[in-house]
Amino acid sequence: MRYHVWSIGCQMNTADARRMGDELELYGAEPAERIDDADVVVLYSCVVRQAAQTKVHNELEQLRRVKSQRPSMRIALAGCMVEDDVDELSLKYPFVDRYFSPKLDLPLRDQVFDFLDLDERYRLDPEDAERVHGISAPVTISQGCNRRCTYCIIPFRRGAERSRHPREIRREVESLARRGTREVVLLGQIVDRYGRDIGTTLPSLLADLSSVDGLARLRFLTSYPVDFGRPLMEAVAALPKVCEDVNLPIQAGDDTTLRRMARGYKVEDYECLIEEMRSVIPGLGLSTDIIVGFCGETEVQFQHTLELLERVRFDVVHVAMYSQREGTASPRLWRDDVPREEKKRRLHEVERVQARIAEEINQAMVGSRQEILVEGTRQNKWYGRTRNNKLVFFESDLPLAGQLVTVDITRATSWSLQGCPAELAVA
Ligand code: SF4
C-alpha cells in the first residue's frame, strides 16, 4: 500500500499530516511522492483564506480524475474544510470516502482503522517506527478555541478548546527525538492556555519535556495577549531548552478595530505585556500577525497599526488582507468595505515598514555570537536558526545537520543572517 498525505495552512495541519503518515507506516504503508502513485490519499485542508480553500479544491479535482481511472483508491478529507454536516461536501466531492472532522478527537489509530479496514494484528509497535522527520518538528498539544474573534472560522471548525494528555505528548516527543528530531514546536490555537481543562499548565509541560533525551530545543505557538502570564515568561527565561521566541498576534494597532475584532485587549495592554516579557526574557525574539483592511478600518486606524510597528519593533510580522469567511460574525455585522486594491496597498505598506525595522534589528546582531541549531543545506550552505528564531546561513564542510553550532554573525538582511562557525558544540 502506498500513501500520499497532503496538507496546507497552519502548522497544526503539518503536524497532523506527519502523524497520519507515521500511523499508516505502522501498517506497512510506503510514501508516494505523487497522487497518481498512491493507493491512499489524505488531504489536510484549510479554509482560513480563500487562496488555501481554492488550492484544496484544485487538489480534490485532481483526485476526482485519478479516482475515475482507479476506483480502488481511498481518499479522506481532513482539516478545517470538514464541517459538522458533510452532506454538501459529499454532493460536491462524491469520490471522497471519509471525512475526518477536526472537532472529533478520534485517535489516529481508530481513524485509519475505520477508513482502511486494516488488520490490527499487523500494526507495528510505535516504538519500532523508523520514519525520520525534520530536525524541527511540530507537535499539536491542544485543539480548538473558546474565543470568538469576529473574523475567525477556526472555533466553528475545530470546536472547543481541549488539551492532549501530557503523557501522550511526551511519548510523541520521545519518539521524534529517538528518530533524530532535535527541536519540537508545541502547537495550540492559544497554546498558553494548554492544560487548563485537564489540570496542568504549559510551563509544567515545558519543564517535563525539557528532560527528553536527545531533544535540544523547545518552542511553542501561537500565544494570545490575554493568556500569556508571568509563570510562562519565567519558564521561558529559566528552562535552557525553551527558546526565547514568542509569536503574539496583535492583529491591529487600533483600539476600535481591536474591539470590532473582539480581541479582548487594548493596544496599551498589549504594549505593557511586551514590556514585561522583554524585561523577564532577555534576548526575546518577537513575531506578530496583522490583518489589514478589516471591516470599517479607516486610514487613520491603519496608521495606528504602522505606528505600533515602529514602537514595538517586532522581529517578524506576518501580514494578511482581511477576507470574509462565511459562518463568522463579521460579515453579519459589517460590510467588507475596504476595497481590495486598498487592502493590498496597506499590506505592502506594512511589509515595507517591517522590512526596514527587521533589517535594523538584524544589522545590530552583526558581530554577535549565536547558537544555531543546524536544519539542513540550501545552495551549498548550512542553515539553521538562532534561539530567537533568526535564519542563519554559513559554510562548513563538516556534517552538521541536527547539531548545535556557534556562529559569528558577519552579515544581515531583513530576512536572514550570514556567519562563520566559531566552534562546534555538539549537544
Ligand atoms: S484566538 Fe481568535 S483568531 Fe485565534 S483561533 Fe481563536 S478565534 Fe481564531
Side-chain angles (χ1 to χ4, degrees), residues 144-155 189-190 222 224 249 251 261-263:
C145 181
N146 292 350
R147 297 200 71 89
R148 290 290 182 274
C149 301
T150 53
Y151 54 84
C152 183
I153 190 75
I154 286 171
Q189 231 65 61
I190 301 183
T222 302
Y224 197 86
Q251 304 300 8
M261 289 175 164
R263 293 288 291 177

Side-chain angles (χ1 to χ4, degrees), residues 62-126:
Q62 204 186 331
L63 281 168
R64 185 194 299 273
R65 173 188 62 76
V66 179
K67 187 151 177 174
S68 69
Q69 290 153 10
R70 233 165 3 99
S72 62
M73 179 184 223
R74 303 284 290 165
I75 299 169
L77 182 63
C80 288
M81 201 180 214
V82 182
E83 299 180 57
D84 294 345
D85 182 351
V86 294
D87 286 357
E88 207 177 305
L89 282 172
S90 303
L91 276 177
K92 200 167 171 188
Y93 306 113
F95 51 90
V96 171
D97 301 292
R98 278 284 186 285
Y99 293 95
F100 296 133
S101 164
K103 269 189 192 171
L104 300 176
D105 296 324
L106 193 62
L108 260 185
R109 178 183 184 147
D110 297 345
Q111 288 184 21
V112 167
F113 188 69
D114 174 48
F115 170 39
L116 295 173
D117 201 15
L118 295 164
D119 192 331
E120 270 294 274
R121 287 172 304 172
Y122 300 119
R123 183 178 186 264
L124 286 177
D125 186 328

